[in-house]
PDB file of all heavy atoms in Angstrom:
ATOM      1  N   THR A 127     -20.478  -8.881   1.179  1.00 96.00           N
ATOM      2  CA  THR A 127     -19.827  -8.823  -0.139  1.00 96.00           C
ATOM      3  C   THR A 127     -18.424  -9.415  -0.071  1.00 96.00           C
ATOM      4  O   THR A 127     -17.791  -9.441   0.992  1.00 96.00           O
ATOM      5  CB  THR A 127     -19.733  -7.374  -0.662  1.00 96.00           C
ATOM      6  OG1 THR A 127     -18.827  -6.641   0.168  1.00 96.00           O
ATOM      7  CG2 THR A 127     -21.092  -6.699  -0.719  1.00 96.00           C
ATOM      8  N   GLU A 128     -17.952  -9.862  -1.224  1.00 95.00           N
ATOM      9  CA  GLU A 128     -16.576 -10.345  -1.324  1.00 95.00           C
ATOM     10  C   GLU A 128     -15.608  -9.221  -0.974  1.00 95.00           C
ATOM     11  O   GLU A 128     -14.570  -9.459  -0.350  1.00 95.00           O
ATOM     12  CB  GLU A 128     -16.312 -10.874  -2.730  1.00 95.00           C
ATOM     13  CG  GLU A 128     -17.108 -12.127  -3.050  1.00 95.00           C
ATOM     14  CD  GLU A 128     -17.039 -12.541  -4.513  1.00 95.00           C
ATOM     15  OE1 GLU A 128     -16.541 -11.755  -5.363  1.00 95.00           O
ATOM     16  OE2 GLU A 128     -17.496 -13.658  -4.818  1.00 95.00           O
ATOM     17  N   ALA A 129     -15.935  -7.987  -1.352  1.00 97.00           N
ATOM     18  CA  ALA A 129     -15.078  -6.837  -1.042  1.00 97.00           C
ATOM     19  C   ALA A 129     -14.955  -6.652   0.474  1.00 97.00           C
ATOM     20  O   ALA A 129     -13.861  -6.368   0.972  1.00 97.00           O
ATOM     21  CB  ALA A 129     -15.619  -5.568  -1.695  1.00 97.00           C
ATOM     22  N   GLU A 130     -16.054  -6.813   1.207  1.00 97.00           N
ATOM     23  CA  GLU A 130     -16.000  -6.690   2.662  1.00 97.00           C
ATOM     24  C   GLU A 130     -15.096  -7.758   3.274  1.00 97.00           C
ATOM     25  O   GLU A 130     -14.291  -7.462   4.162  1.00 97.00           O
ATOM     26  CB  GLU A 130     -17.390  -6.824   3.272  1.00 97.00           C
ATOM     27  CG  GLU A 130     -18.325  -5.675   2.996  1.00 97.00           C
ATOM     28  CD  GLU A 130     -19.723  -5.978   3.525  1.00 97.00           C
ATOM     29  OE1 GLU A 130     -19.939  -5.781   4.738  1.00 97.00           O
ATOM     30  OE2 GLU A 130     -20.573  -6.428   2.730  1.00 97.00           O
ATOM     31  N   ILE A 131     -15.242  -8.988   2.808  1.00 95.00           N
ATOM     32  CA  ILE A 131     -14.416 -10.084   3.332  1.00 95.00           C
ATOM     33  C   ILE A 131     -12.942  -9.819   3.048  1.00 95.00           C
ATOM     34  O   ILE A 131     -12.095  -9.922   3.937  1.00 95.00           O
ATOM     35  CB  ILE A 131     -14.865 -11.440   2.732  1.00 95.00           C
ATOM     36  CG1 ILE A 131     -16.275 -11.788   3.229  1.00 95.00           C
ATOM     37  CG2 ILE A 131     -13.867 -12.543   3.083  1.00 95.00           C
ATOM     38  CD1 ILE A 131     -16.929 -12.945   2.480  1.00 95.00           C
ATOM     39  N   MET A 132     -12.638  -9.452   1.794  1.00 94.00           N
ATOM     40  CA  MET A 132     -11.242  -9.154   1.449  1.00 94.00           C
ATOM     41  C   MET A 132     -10.729  -7.956   2.233  1.00 94.00           C
ATOM     42  O   MET A 132      -9.567  -7.939   2.655  1.00 94.00           O
ATOM     43  CB  MET A 132     -11.102  -8.921  -0.050  1.00 94.00           C
ATOM     44  CG  MET A 132     -11.197 -10.198  -0.851  1.00 94.00           C
ATOM     45  SD  MET A 132     -10.873  -9.935  -2.602  1.00 94.00           S
ATOM     46  CE  MET A 132     -12.454  -9.277  -3.132  1.00 94.00           C
ATOM     47  N   GLY A 133     -11.575  -6.948   2.430  1.00 96.00           N
ATOM     48  CA  GLY A 133     -11.170  -5.781   3.208  1.00 96.00           C
ATOM     49  C   GLY A 133     -10.770  -6.155   4.619  1.00 96.00           C
ATOM     50  O   GLY A 133      -9.751  -5.675   5.140  1.00 96.00           O
ATOM     51  N   ARG A 134     -11.551  -7.045   5.255  1.00 96.00           N
ATOM     52  CA  ARG A 134     -11.202  -7.501   6.615  1.00 96.00           C
ATOM     53  C   ARG A 134      -9.879  -8.257   6.609  1.00 96.00           C
ATOM     54  O   ARG A 134      -9.047  -8.067   7.497  1.00 96.00           O
ATOM     55  CB  ARG A 134     -12.316  -8.392   7.174  1.00 96.00           C
ATOM     56  CG  ARG A 134     -13.547  -7.624   7.608  1.00 96.00           C
ATOM     57  CD  ARG A 134     -14.453  -8.475   8.475  1.00 96.00           C
ATOM     58  NE  ARG A 134     -14.974  -9.636   7.756  1.00 96.00           N
ATOM     59  CZ  ARG A 134     -16.224  -9.765   7.328  1.00 96.00           C
ATOM     60  NH1 ARG A 134     -17.086  -8.798   7.546  1.00 96.00           N
ATOM     61  NH2 ARG A 134     -16.602 -10.850   6.711  1.00 96.00           N
ATOM     62  N   ILE A 135      -9.699  -9.126   5.624  1.00 94.00           N
ATOM     63  CA  ILE A 135      -8.455  -9.895   5.535  1.00 94.00           C
ATOM     64  C   ILE A 135      -7.266  -8.956   5.341  1.00 94.00           C
ATOM     65  O   ILE A 135      -6.225  -9.105   6.003  1.00 94.00           O
ATOM     66  CB  ILE A 135      -8.536 -10.927   4.387  1.00 94.00           C
ATOM     67  CG1 ILE A 135      -9.571 -12.006   4.719  1.00 94.00           C
ATOM     68  CG2 ILE A 135      -7.165 -11.561   4.121  1.00 94.00           C
ATOM     69  CD1 ILE A 135      -9.944 -12.892   3.534  1.00 94.00           C
ATOM     70  N   LEU A 136      -7.415  -7.986   4.456  1.00 94.00           N
ATOM     71  CA  LEU A 136      -6.327  -7.041   4.196  1.00 94.00           C
ATOM     72  C   LEU A 136      -6.002  -6.213   5.439  1.00 94.00           C
ATOM     73  O   LEU A 136      -4.822  -6.004   5.752  1.00 94.00           O
ATOM     74  CB  LEU A 136      -6.682  -6.141   3.008  1.00 94.00           C
ATOM     75  CG  LEU A 136      -6.684  -6.846   1.656  1.00 94.00           C
ATOM     76  CD1 LEU A 136      -7.413  -5.999   0.612  1.00 94.00           C
ATOM     77  CD2 LEU A 136      -5.263  -7.164   1.211  1.00 94.00           C
ATOM     78  N   LYS A 137      -7.011  -5.744   6.154  1.00 95.00           N
ATOM     79  CA  LYS A 137      -6.766  -4.992   7.399  1.00 95.00           C
ATOM     80  C   LYS A 137      -6.048  -5.875   8.412  1.00 95.00           C
ATOM     81  O   LYS A 137      -5.100  -5.433   9.067  1.00 95.00           O
ATOM     82  CB  LYS A 137      -8.077  -4.467   7.993  1.00 95.00           C
ATOM     83  CG  LYS A 137      -8.549  -3.197   7.339  1.00 95.00           C
ATOM     84  CD  LYS A 137      -9.633  -2.508   8.133  1.00 95.00           C
ATOM     85  CE  LYS A 137     -10.928  -3.261   7.982  1.00 95.00           C
ATOM     86  NZ  LYS A 137     -12.089  -2.554   8.536  1.00 95.00           N
ATOM     87  N   ASP A 138      -6.498  -7.131   8.539  1.00 96.00           N
ATOM     88  CA  ASP A 138      -5.849  -8.070   9.467  1.00 96.00           C
ATOM     89  C   ASP A 138      -4.391  -8.316   9.101  1.00 96.00           C
ATOM     90  O   ASP A 138      -3.580  -8.657   9.946  1.00 96.00           O
ATOM     91  CB  ASP A 138      -6.588  -9.410   9.504  1.00 96.00           C
ATOM     92  CG  ASP A 138      -7.946  -9.327  10.187  1.00 96.00           C
ATOM     93  OD1 ASP A 138      -8.243  -8.296  10.844  1.00 96.00           O
ATOM     94  OD2 ASP A 138      -8.722 -10.297  10.056  1.00 96.00           O
TER      95      ASP A 138
END
Side-chain angles (χ1 to χ4, degrees):
T127 67
E128 293 170 349
E130 290 174 82
I131 294 168
M132 286 185 281
R134 285 195 297 253
I135 293 167
L136 290 164
K137 279 194 286 189
D138 290 348

